[in-house]
Amino acid sequence: MVGTFGRALEVRGIPSQPDRLSADIEGDIVDENGVMALRAIRIRYRVALPSGKREEAERALRFHERGCPLANTLKDGVDITYTADFEELDDADVAG
């Protein structure tokens, strides 16, 4: 999902590389009658944005899941949730 979100940012003119997008990801694995199963994934994105791009980034966040092959594969059996911390950079940070 991170790659799909990165691409969604890029098409909106928001660079995701280098070091502009990162994520902390956790999951819940449960024992179901002796068989381990993944039941939940939580993603917390951290995004460094050019000034004035927050609205586009929030839109990318809202819609990236529907274009993600992994999310579409898991959606019926795994609860996927995500949040994002957006940090707007000043022009000097964006250029450097």
Side-chain angles (χ1 to χ4, degrees), residues 2-77:
V2 178
T4 301
F5 183 45
R7 181 68 184 134
L9 291 169
E10 294 278 345
V11 299
R12 289 168 174 82
I14 302 168
S16 64
Q17 296 296 324
D19 303 322
R20 298 271 173 87
L21 170 63
S22 62
D24 295 318
I25 303 168
E26 298 178 331
D28 294 336
I29 299 174
V30 297
D31 182 331
E32 294 181 350
N33 300 318
V35 177
M36 303 306 280
L38 178 64
R39 289 295 170 234
I41 298 172
R42 290 173 300 285
I43 304 168
R44 183 177 196 94
Y45 296 113
R46 287 184 310 282
V47 186
L49 301 172
S51 182
K53 290 289 195 172
R54 186 180 184 102
E55 186 175 324
E56 290 96 331
E58 288 175 349
R59 181 171 170 77
L61 180 67
R62 285 193 307 272
F63 293 105
H64 80 287
E65 186 175 2
R66 73 173 66 167
C68 179
L70 179 62
N72 284 307
T73 299
L74 299 177
K75 69 182 176 186
D76 292 330

